[in-house]
Amino acid sequence: MKILVPVKRVVDYNVKVRVKADQTGVDLANVKMSLNPFCEIAVEEAVRLKEAGIATEVVVVSIGQTGAQEQLRTALALGADRAILIETELNLDSLQVAKLLAKVVGNEQPQLVIIGKQAIDSDNNQTGQMLAALTGMGQGTFASKVVVADGKVAVTREIDGGLQTVSLKLPAVVSTDLRLNEPRYASLPNIMKAKKKPLDIVAADSFGVALQSQVKTLKVAAPKVRQAGVMVDSVDALVAKLKQEAKVI
Amino acid sequence: MAILIIAEHNQQALKADTAKTVAAAAKIGGDIHLLVAGFQCAAAAAEAATLAGVTKVLLADAVCYQHQLAENVAALVVELGRDYSHILAAATTHGKNFLPRVAALLDVAQISDVIAVESADTFVRPIYAGNAIATVQSADAIKVLTVRSSAFDAVATGNAAPIAAVAQATDAGLSLFVSEELTKSERPELTAAKIIISGGRGMQNGDNFKLLEGIADKLNAAIGASRAAVDAGFVPNDMQVGQTGKIVAPDLYIAVGISGAIQHLAGMKDSKVIVAINKDAEAPIFQVADYGLVADLFVALPELEAKL
């Protein structure tokens, strides 16, 4: 079966972003960009399913600017077979992304879509669920275990009180949580091989999807800064501060 | 203009997040209807009717809603939701699961993790792990929002809203519930606790989390953990506080053996008072802590327990 893995280029998770002075957004000039960590887990899971003989082809797709080719090459180096870049200069919302991905699903007919549960820039946690809705598929969100067998996928999901397992008909959408797997590193030979793997570039406006979002960002501000605290030198002093000064215990 | 809130419950009782979501809806203004979808969940509906500000409770009691699978709940909410100007749910794993599906089926955007309501169409939400705060305005006919419950105070009880049964029962037939494995705990829930004590990689192993238990008992606190502690297998993952775990804002947060990575801070930096106990004086956690103690946790924790 074919697996489709949507991936996103985001600011590296170790970077502490700064808000622009004019409050129009965060400053991403000259900031290190990477594959979103949850997408890395999604690619890893797809590649493992291929190595287990369950998947036959892993296709990665990204939507964004030319630079996203870099992250697609990373995914190819991790074991994906081919890549699609849907190119646009616009900053799309989850709904527009899901609509474009639904078109890709229509073209590619994958049996399984594995997607990260959220991107660490917008923190939306929506695209997988929206894609499942638009394609009429079942969804297994926040997966920590995925078992494909007999035309079904059993997904163990991380929920607030613990774990829940659901069984979905294929095709289905699975979104990855952190503990699904430990992504591998791309080896140098694989990085070289990835340069030769196919990467198709398609313009986003060729899909016939309205790309304008109904949501407008009015401003982006820095969060409130916490007042500098004090260091105490003993447990006694700490307990005294909490009782008398902060009055929280 | 009326607002539909999808209640979160375990059939018997409402989760605390629901009363906080109602508080967010009250800031938008308008009639507030609460949907309780489940199986044999009349008790939860009765409790929902007591929440201040709720004008009607809709009760969808059918076996296909028993495990609140996203496919079935979303179909129901889409059916009911077309008559509303706003559809809200708490930004819990349940709300995050089904609500984007609702939004896509209604062909509108979703605004996730709202921390403030500026007006009926303008909302505030954190992005980049809480390192930036975005104010967004939606022109969609129906606004679909998940609400970060730590940012709102629960509404009072004592109301007696009417309860109306909803006849629809759609099984989408896409998914089946297999099993559930819930972590048992006598302590308060993490997202509702007034005091939280969390352990990180510095705890060294799962057994050492017992050092936190005595203190948690004395303070009636919940116990949390950093991703490092969860990934190392010290504790189950539903204890994780952070960008991708639970977001909490208790009166007192005690971070023990936690360095304070961006992703952890995203989950707790709105706590009223933060205490850090760490042996590394350079740990970033001290930059957000109101009170910091540089000490070996294996010495400091027993002493703290004794002195409370």
Side-chain angles (χ1 to χ4, degrees), chain A residues 11 13-17 19 26 28 38 93 95 99 117-118 120-126 129-130 132-134 136-139 141-142 157-169 177-179 214-223 226-236 238-239 241-243 245-246 248-249, chain B residues 67 69-71 92-93 96-97 100-101 103-105 107-110 112 122 125 127-140 173-183 195 219 227 230-231 237-238 240 243-244 246 251-252 262-263 269 271-275 286 288-294 300 303-304 307-308:
Chain A
V11 62
Y13 73 96
N14 280 316
V15 172
K16 189 158 192 309
V17 297
V19 170
V26 300
L28 294 179
F38 291 98
D93 265 355
L95 182 63
K99 284 180 177 177
K117 82 163 175 182
Q118 83 191 61
I120 59 164
D121 51 0
S122 54
D123 279 335
N124 274 329
N125 195 331
Q126 300 171 1
Q129 296 89 316
M130 288 183 158
L134 297 175
M137 294 188 200
Q139 62 183 59
T141 51
F142 327 142
R157 310 178 48 234
E158 298 196 1
I159 58 170
D160 284 334
L163 298 170
Q164 181 194 60
T165 304
V166 293
S167 167
L168 309 169
K169 275 189 193 156
D177 216 320
L178 283 169
R179 277 154 292 272
Q214 296 296 304
V215 179
K216 198 164 70 182
T217 300
L218 302 181
K219 73 169 186 190
V220 175
R226 288 189 76 96
Q227 290 218 320
V230 294
M231 300 301 283
V232 293
D233 54 7
S234 68
V235 169
D236 275 327
L238 177 63
V239 173
K241 289 272 191 198
L242 289 177
K243 281 187 173 155
E245 200 174 276
V248 282
I249 57 172
Chain B
H67 300 290
L69 297 169
E71 297 81 0
T92 54
T93 52
K96 288 172 178 175
N97 186 33
R101 197 171 173 104
L105 293 172
D107 195 26
V108 298
Q110 174 180 299
S112 293
T122 306
R125 63 177 302 260
I127 51 177
Y128 290 91
N131 286 306
I133 308 294
T135 305
V136 297
Q137 186 174 39
S138 166
D140 276 320
L174 294 167
S175 54
L176 271 178
F177 171 84
V178 177
S179 63
E180 205 160 59
E181 217 180 297
L182 297 182
T183 314
I195 301 179
L219 295 174
R227 178 184 163 191
V230 174
D231 278 355
N237 54 46
D238 54 322
Q240 183 185 322
Q243 183 185 16
T244 62
K246 296 206 168 72
D251 293 342
L252 173 61
I262 297 172
Q263 293 78 14
K269 68 180 175 189
S271 305
K272 250 176 232 153
V273 176
I274 297 174
V275 169
F286 287 120
V288 299
D290 299 279
Y291 303 107
L293 175 63
V294 178
E303 196 184 338
L304 179 60
K307 297 210 162 124
L308 286 173

Side-chain angles (χ1 to χ4, degrees), chain A residues 133, chain B residues 70 73-75 77-78 87 98-108 144:
Chain B
V73 174
V77 176
V78 168
I87 303 177
F98 78 88
L99 205 60
R101 197 171 173 104
V102 170
L105 293 172
L106 292 170
D107 195 26
V108 298
V144 174

